[in-house]
Amino acid sequence: MRLFYRVFPHPFLTLLLIVVWCLLVNSISYGTVVMGLILGFLIPIITAPYWPNRPPLPKPWLLVSYFFVVVWDILVANVEVALVVLFKPNSRMRSNWVVIPLELRTPEAISMLAGTITLTPGTVSADLSADGTALLVHALDADDPEEVARDIKARYESRLKRIFEA
């Protein structure tokens, strides 16, 4: 296992680089995959000294289900935001700032939560408290800010806590 991590110091980055390369080239041919493999092999090795404390990922398989939850939520939120923008008058919109108290403590998990919130249409992560215990989020249309906070904590933070801090 130690040899594996010497050759592939960041295996998920290697896979990501291969997929991104194939998407950028817009082709899945033998040459494209080989070039993706070369990049996926070299870039993590070259950048490994800059990542001395690789974040632990106790349950990486849970990222797959988290990915599908986020993709579904993005699709649903796109429709909801489109309906709000097209049919809800500005006078009835309830734009709110929401403070989300965080149970997450690892920087990677907090970053992933903030990124997920920003990727989901209708919400934007705006600020993280200096001590990392609260996240400020802007919601485009939220009648009840506490409900938005509870939804984010239940839907995303609880899953990220199981993935990163188990």
Side-chain angles (χ1 to χ4, degrees):
M1 196 64 166
R2 186 172 265 169
L3 176 64
F4 176 79
Y5 281 109
R6 246 190 184 162
V7 176
F8 298 104
H10 304 285
F12 291 113
L13 178 61
T14 299
L15 289 173
L16 181 67
L17 287 168
I18 293 167
V19 170
V20 168
W21 180 256
C22 289
L23 290 172
L24 285 172
V25 174
N26 200 20
S27 166
I28 300 182
S29 65
Y30 179 72
T32 303
V33 173
V34 168
M35 186 62 185
L37 282 168
I38 292 169
L39 290 172
F41 175 75
L42 289 178
I43 290 173
I45 287 175
I46 292 169
T47 61
Y50 302 106
W51 299 24
N53 301 323
R54 187 173 47 164
L57 197 59
K59 297 179 181 174
W61 60 89
L62 292 177
L63 276 174
V64 175
S65 66
Y66 182 77
F67 171 79
F68 286 112
V69 167
V70 171
V71 168
W72 176 255
D73 287 352
I74 288 171
L75 292 173
V76 170
N78 270 305
V79 172
E80 289 174 350
V81 168
L83 292 173
V84 165
V85 169
L86 291 173
F87 300 113
K88 197 167 193 178
N90 287 344
S91 61
R92 288 188 40 226
M93 259 205 271
R94 300 291 176 246
S95 180
N96 276 305
W97 289 100
V98 181
V99 176
I100 301 171
L102 297 177
E103 295 174 29
L104 297 172
R105 293 294 168 245
T106 61
E108 296 80 19
I110 293 171
S111 296
M112 198 153 186
L113 176 63
T116 300
I117 291 168
T118 301
L119 279 172
T120 308
T123 55
V124 175
S125 299
D127 195 16
L128 178 66
S129 65
D131 60 356
T133 59
L135 188 64
L136 181 64
V137 174
H138 184 266
L140 175 68
D141 187 35
D143 291 328
D144 184 11
E146 286 79 23
E147 182 183 337
V148 173
R150 282 191 303 271
D151 188 39
I152 288 172
K153 288 183 75 60
R155 193 120 176 108
Y156 304 129
E157 186 183 33
S158 63
R159 284 182 168 90
L160 289 172
K161 192 166 174 103
R162 284 195 306 268
I163 293 168
F164 285 97
E165 299 176 0

CSV table of all heavy atoms in Angstrom, one decimal, residues 13-14 17-18 20-22 24-25 32-46:
chain,number,residue,atom,x,y,z
A,13,LEU,N,-7.1,12.6,-7.2
A,13,LEU,CA,-6.7,13.7,-8.1
A,13,LEU,C,-6.2,13.1,-9.5
A,13,LEU,O,-6.5,13.6,-10.5
A,13,LEU,CB,-5.5,14.5,-7.5
A,13,LEU,CG,-4.9,15.6,-8.4
A,13,LEU,CD1,-5.9,16.6,-8.7
A,13,LEU,CD2,-3.7,16.2,-7.7
A,14,THR,N,-5.6,11.9,-9.4
A,14,THR,CA,-5.2,11.2,-10.7
A,14,THR,C,-6.4,10.9,-11.5
A,14,THR,O,-6.5,11.2,-12.7
A,14,THR,CB,-4.4,10.0,-10.3
A,14,THR,OG1,-3.2,10.3,-9.6
A,14,THR,CG2,-4.0,9.2,-11.6
A,17,LEU,N,-7.9,14.1,-12.9
A,17,LEU,CA,-7.2,14.7,-14.0
A,17,LEU,C,-7.4,13.9,-15.3
A,17,LEU,O,-7.5,14.5,-16.4
A,17,LEU,CB,-5.7,14.7,-13.7
A,17,LEU,CG,-5.3,15.8,-12.6
A,17,LEU,CD1,-3.8,15.5,-12.2
A,17,LEU,CD2,-5.4,17.2,-13.2
A,18,ILE,N,-7.5,12.6,-15.2
A,18,ILE,CA,-7.8,11.8,-16.4
A,18,ILE,C,-9.1,12.2,-17.0
A,18,ILE,O,-9.3,12.4,-18.2
A,18,ILE,CB,-7.7,10.3,-16.1
A,18,ILE,CG1,-6.3,9.9,-15.7
A,18,ILE,CG2,-8.2,9.5,-17.3
A,18,ILE,CD1,-6.1,8.5,-15.1
A,20,VAL,N,-10.9,15.0,-16.5
A,20,VAL,CA,-11.0,16.3,-17.0
A,20,VAL,C,-10.2,16.5,-18.3
A,20,VAL,O,-10.7,17.2,-19.2
A,20,VAL,CB,-10.4,17.3,-15.9
A,20,VAL,CG1,-10.1,18.7,-16.4
A,20,VAL,CG2,-11.3,17.4,-14.7
A,21,TRP,N,-9.1,15.8,-18.4
A,21,TRP,CA,-8.4,15.8,-19.7
A,21,TRP,C,-9.2,15.3,-20.8
A,21,TRP,O,-9.3,15.9,-21.9
A,21,TRP,CB,-7.1,15.1,-19.6
A,21,TRP,CG,-6.3,15.1,-20.9
A,21,TRP,CD1,-6.2,14.1,-21.8
A,21,TRP,CD2,-5.6,16.2,-21.4
A,21,TRP,NE1,-5.4,14.5,-22.9
A,21,TRP,CE2,-5.1,15.8,-22.7
A,21,TRP,CE3,-5.4,17.5,-21.0
A,21,TRP,CZ2,-4.3,16.7,-23.4
A,21,TRP,CZ3,-4.6,18.4,-21.8
A,21,TRP,CH2,-4.1,18.0,-23.0
A,22,CYS,N,-9.9,14.2,-20.6
A,22,CYS,CA,-10.8,13.6,-21.7
A,22,CYS,C,-11.9,14.6,-22.0
A,22,CYS,O,-12.3,14.7,-23.2
A,22,CYS,CB,-11.3,12.3,-21.3
A,22,CYS,SG,-10.0,11.0,-21.2
A,24,LEU,N,-11.8,17.9,-21.6
A,24,LEU,CA,-11.2,19.1,-22.3
A,24,LEU,C,-10.9,18.8,-23.8
A,24,LEU,O,-11.2,19.6,-24.6
A,24,LEU,CB,-10.0,19.5,-21.6
A,24,LEU,CG,-10.1,20.3,-20.3
A,24,LEU,CD1,-8.8,20.5,-19.6
A,24,LEU,CD2,-10.8,21.6,-20.5
A,25,VAL,N,-10.4,17.6,-24.0
A,25,VAL,CA,-10.1,17.2,-25.4
A,25,VAL,C,-11.4,16.9,-26.2
A,25,VAL,O,-11.4,16.9,-27.4
A,25,VAL,CB,-9.1,16.1,-25.4
A,25,VAL,CG1,-8.8,15.6,-26.8
A,25,VAL,CG2,-7.8,16.5,-24.8
A,32,THR,N,-5.9,10.0,-26.1
A,32,THR,CA,-6.4,11.0,-25.1
A,32,THR,C,-6.3,10.3,-23.7
A,32,THR,O,-5.8,11.0,-22.8
A,32,THR,CB,-7.8,11.3,-25.4
A,32,THR,OG1,-7.9,11.9,-26.7
A,32,THR,CG2,-8.4,12.3,-24.4
A,33,VAL,N,-6.7,9.1,-23.6
A,33,VAL,CA,-6.6,8.4,-22.3
A,33,VAL,C,-5.2,8.2,-21.9
A,33,VAL,O,-4.9,8.5,-20.7
A,33,VAL,CB,-7.4,7.1,-22.4
A,33,VAL,CG1,-7.2,6.3,-21.1
A,33,VAL,CG2,-8.8,7.3,-22.6
A,34,VAL,N,-4.3,7.9,-22.8
A,34,VAL,CA,-2.8,7.8,-22.4
A,34,VAL,C,-2.3,9.1,-22.0
A,34,VAL,O,-1.6,9.2,-20.9
A,34,VAL,CB,-2.0,7.2,-23.6
A,34,VAL,CG1,-0.5,7.3,-23.3
A,34,VAL,CG2,-2.4,5.7,-23.8
A,35,MET,N,-2.6,10.2,-22.7
A,35,MET,CA,-2.1,11.5,-22.2
A,35,MET,C,-2.7,11.9,-20.9
A,35,MET,O,-2.1,12.4,-20.0
A,35,MET,CB,-2.5,12.6,-23.3
A,35,MET,CG,-1.9,13.9,-23.0
A,35,MET,SD,-0.1,13.8,-23.0
A,35,MET,CE,0.3,15.5,-22.5
A,36,GLY,N,-4.0,11.5,-20.7
A,36,GLY,CA,-4.6,11.8,-19.4
A,36,GLY,C,-3.9,11.0,-18.3
A,36,GLY,O,-3.7,11.5,-17.1
A,37,LEU,N,-3.6,9.7,-18.6
A,37,LEU,CA,-2.8,8.9,-17.6
A,37,LEU,C,-1.5,9.5,-17.3
A,37,LEU,O,-1.0,9.6,-16.1
A,37,LEU,CB,-2.6,7.5,-18.1
A,37,LEU,CG,-3.8,6.6,-18.0
A,37,LEU,CD1,-3.6,5.3,-18.8
A,37,LEU,CD2,-4.1,6.2,-16.6
A,38,ILE,N,-0.8,10.0,-18.3
A,38,ILE,CA,0.5,10.7,-18.1
A,38,ILE,C,0.4,11.9,-17.2
A,38,ILE,O,1.1,12.1,-16.2
A,38,ILE,CB,1.2,11.0,-19.4
A,38,ILE,CG1,1.6,9.7,-20.2
A,38,ILE,CG2,2.4,11.9,-19.2
A,38,ILE,CD1,2.0,10.0,-21.6
A,39,LEU,N,-0.6,12.7,-17.5
A,39,LEU,CA,-0.9,13.9,-16.7
A,39,LEU,C,-1.3,13.5,-15.2
A,39,LEU,O,-0.9,14.1,-14.3
A,39,LEU,CB,-1.9,14.8,-17.3
A,39,LEU,CG,-1.5,15.5,-18.6
A,39,LEU,CD1,-2.7,16.2,-19.2
A,39,LEU,CD2,-0.4,16.5,-18.3
A,40,GLY,N,-2.2,12.5,-15.2
A,40,GLY,CA,-2.7,12.1,-13.9
A,40,GLY,C,-1.6,11.4,-13.0
A,40,GLY,O,-1.7,11.3,-11.8
A,41,PHE,N,-0.5,11.0,-13.7
A,41,PHE,CA,0.6,10.4,-13.0
A,41,PHE,C,1.6,11.5,-12.6
A,41,PHE,O,2.1,11.5,-11.4
A,41,PHE,CB,1.3,9.3,-13.9
A,41,PHE,CG,2.5,8.7,-13.3
A,41,PHE,CD1,2.5,7.8,-12.3
A,41,PHE,CD2,3.7,9.1,-13.8
A,41,PHE,CE1,3.6,7.3,-11.8
A,41,PHE,CE2,4.9,8.6,-13.3
A,41,PHE,CZ,4.8,7.6,-12.3
A,42,LEU,N,1.9,12.4,-13.5
A,42,LEU,CA,3.0,13.3,-13.2
A,42,LEU,C,2.6,14.5,-12.3
A,42,LEU,O,3.3,14.9,-11.4
A,42,LEU,CB,3.5,13.9,-14.6
A,42,LEU,CG,4.3,13.0,-15.4
A,42,LEU,CD1,4.7,13.6,-16.7
A,42,LEU,CD2,5.6,12.5,-14.7
A,43,ILE,N,1.4,15.1,-12.6
A,43,ILE,CA,1.0,16.3,-11.8
A,43,ILE,C,0.9,16.0,-10.3
A,43,ILE,O,1.5,16.7,-9.5
A,43,ILE,CB,-0.3,16.8,-12.4
A,43,ILE,CG1,0.0,17.5,-13.7
A,43,ILE,CG2,-0.9,17.9,-11.4
A,43,ILE,CD1,-1.2,17.9,-14.5
A,44,PRO,N,0.3,14.9,-9.8
A,44,PRO,CA,0.3,14.6,-8.4
A,44,PRO,C,1.7,14.4,-7.8
A,44,PRO,O,2.0,14.8,-6.7
A,44,PRO,CB,-0.6,13.4,-8.3
A,44,PRO,CG,-1.5,13.4,-9.4
A,44,PRO,CD,-0.6,14.0,-10.5
A,45,ILE,N,2.6,13.7,-8.6
A,45,ILE,CA,3.9,13.5,-8.1
A,45,ILE,C,4.7,14.8,-8.0
A,45,ILE,O,5.4,15.1,-7.0
A,45,ILE,CB,4.7,12.5,-9.0
A,45,ILE,CG1,4.1,11.1,-8.7
A,45,ILE,CG2,6.2,12.5,-8.7
A,45,ILE,CD1,4.7,10.0,-9.6
A,46,ILE,N,4.5,15.7,-8.9
A,46,ILE,CA,5.2,17.0,-8.9
A,46,ILE,C,4.7,17.9,-7.8
A,46,ILE,O,5.4,18.6,-7.1
A,46,ILE,CB,5.1,17.7,-10.3
A,46,ILE,CG1,5.9,16.9,-11.3
A,46,ILE,CG2,5.6,19.1,-10.2
A,46,ILE,CD1,5.6,17.4,-12.8
